[in-house]
Amino acid sequence: MSKLILIYASWIGGLLGVSGQITKPEDAPRPISPEASAAMVELPEGFRLELVASEPLVRQPSAVCFDESGRLFVTELHGYNMEGQFDIEELNKTGELDRVVRRISANEEAVRKAEETQVGSVKLLKDTDGDGVMDEAITWAENLPVGMGICPALGGVIVVCSPHIIFLADRDGDDRADFRETLFTGFNTGVIERRINCPQWGPDNWIYVDGGQGGRISGPRLSAPVDLPRTGFRFKPDGSVIEPVSGHTGTYGFTFNAAGDRFVISTSSPAIQVAPIPWRYLGRNQDIALSASSRRSTNYNRSYPISEPHPWRSKRATDPGFSKY
């Protein structure tokens, strides 16, 4: 999938100045402390929110999990969306950036530079004084593809990081992952936010993953490659089996209820969706034609955020060029 960036030059800050440079916006919200940010969250009755870890202990986190010993692991995603940044930097140097709202592909050099900076890591967080707040971070594993999910398994953790799913473990007890094995590989990548993500144990003792773009999957314990369509999938933690499941998450997140029903979401349709029929029943009929294996489980399709939108979103919404786009 080609990397794409959106150019909304007509409403950015002071717009094009000398040599085509874009001035930095002055109306962006100022950062606040993690404690102040947590205090602003409104919770339903019966829920409580506690700050466990924040910068500088973690940086650009993408997922968390606790293992069977109660240890907290965090995946970090570094270099997100850098292809757009590199592309705009080059346009600024030449003064070619214009005021037209349009969608363009980042050039090949920008994509290449971005891929060099996009890496993943896993940190082990510790609470050394027993107050419930993490105060020590150990780089448990690094130099991974960008990780979009992590779950405990077999005395270690499994990280989903397209094009791989990798098992990591600390065999010698030094708080570093000294064992690394690629369980599966071959997942299509595409833009980062639409890659495989959110691995979690299902009620059937398989690990479920969603958000994928499909691919021809191979692994050291598979008897033959498996062709995955663009849907969710599940696998055995030892890497011996992988297979598609019904329902596809548009970007990130899914869950199960107590009965084992699987629910997914989509960014274009914020209402919860349910995958009512297992893939094994749909897949055995080669003549069936389905546009989707999930259906909306509610009678609404709108959400209403309580926070103010970022200024650039408001400006984009009122820009006539964006409306045409």
Side-chain angles (χ1 to χ4, degrees):
M1 182 183 296
S2 61
K3 304 295 182 67
L4 299 174
I5 61 173
L6 295 179
I7 301 298
Y8 307 115
S10 60
W11 43 260
I12 300 179
L15 299 179
L16 302 183
V18 179
S19 300
Q21 296 297 311
I22 297 178
T23 59
K24 292 184 178 180
E26 298 179 353
D27 58 353
R30 302 302 178 189
I32 60 177
S33 69
E35 292 78 12
S37 179
M40 297 172 67
V41 178
E42 297 185 16
L43 295 171
E45 184 178 353
F47 286 83
R48 183 177 65 186
L49 177 67
E50 296 181 355
L51 183 65
V52 174
S54 61
E55 293 180 333
L57 211 60
V58 294
R59 186 170 66 90
Q60 298 172 323
S62 57
V64 300
C65 79
F66 288 94
D67 71 357
E68 67 275 15
S69 300
R71 299 184 300 173
L72 179 59
F73 291 88
V74 178
T75 54
E76 293 184 337
L77 188 163
H78 306 299
Y80 175 66
N81 200 30
M82 289 303 295
E83 60 269 15
Q85 177 67 27
F86 291 137
D87 197 65
I88 290 176
E89 287 177 357
E90 289 301 313
L91 287 171
N92 282 345
K93 291 178 182 178
T94 61
E96 295 176 0
L97 191 61
D98 58 37
R99 301 167 67 94
V100 177
V101 180
R102 56 183 176 170
R103 190 169 187 167
I104 64 174
S105 298
N107 63 56
E108 293 183 2
E109 178 63 15
V111 172
R112 184 193 63 79
K113 290 176 63 178
E115 290 176 346
E116 293 176 353
T117 66
Q118 291 169 348
V119 294
S121 62
V122 177
K123 282 184 176 176
L124 169 61
L125 303 187
K126 289 188 172 184
D127 171 20
T128 61
D129 56 12
D131 65 351
V133 179
M134 303 299 161
D135 45 48
E136 181 182 359
I138 300 171
T139 300
W140 204 66
E142 52 189 343
N143 297 322
L144 299 166
V146 288
M148 292 289 285
I150 185 171
C151 71
L154 305 178
V157 296
I158 289 177
V159 181
V160 294
C161 44
S162 295
H164 313 307
I165 292 180
I166 297 176
F167 174 71
L168 302 166
D170 172 18
R171 302 299 198 199
D172 58 11
D174 66 349
D175 288 335
R176 303 289 193 285
D178 49 63
F179 181 83
R180 180 182 300 194
E181 180 183 22
T182 300
L183 297 177
F184 305 103
T185 189
F187 299 95
N188 295 329
T189 52
V191 293
I192 290 178
E193 67 267 22
R194 297 189 182 276
R195 297 180 184 180
I196 55 174
N197 62 67
C198 200
Q200 56 180 295
W201 286 88
D204 51 8
N205 284 329
W206 290 62
I207 294 176
Y208 285 71
V209 180
D210 221 315
Q213 301 297 311
R216 187 170 180 80
I217 313 305
S218 60
R221 295 186 180 86
L222 291 179
S223 58
V226 176
D227 291 316
L228 285 182
R230 295 184 60 177
T231 186
F233 60 92
R234 65 177 186 169
F235 65 88
K236 292 290 188 180
D238 63 358
S240 59
V241 185
I242 186 170
E243 62 184 32
V245 297
S246 294
H248 174 70
T249 292
T251 47
Y252 199 99
F254 66 94
T255 191
F256 296 92
N257 64 10
D261 299 312
R262 201 169 82 92
F263 295 86
V264 299
I265 62 171
S266 168
T267 50
S268 61
S269 177
I272 297 174
Q273 300 170 351
V274 65
I277 304 177
W279 185 273
R280 60 182 178 273
Y281 298 134
L282 302 175
R284 70 187 185 187
N285 185 347
Q286 300 300 314
D287 298 319
I288 192 171
L290 288 175
S291 60
S293 58
S294 60
R295 289 293 182 266
R296 196 173 302 157
S297 60
T298 58
N299 60 357
Y300 59 86
N301 189 28
R302 292 184 180 182
S303 59
Y304 300 91
I306 61 174
S307 58
E308 292 295 324
H310 196 284
W312 71 263
R313 291 188 179 274
S314 299
K315 292 182 178 180
R316 181 182 70 173
T318 59
D319 188 287
F322 180 71
S323 299
K324 294 178 182 177
Y325 159 75

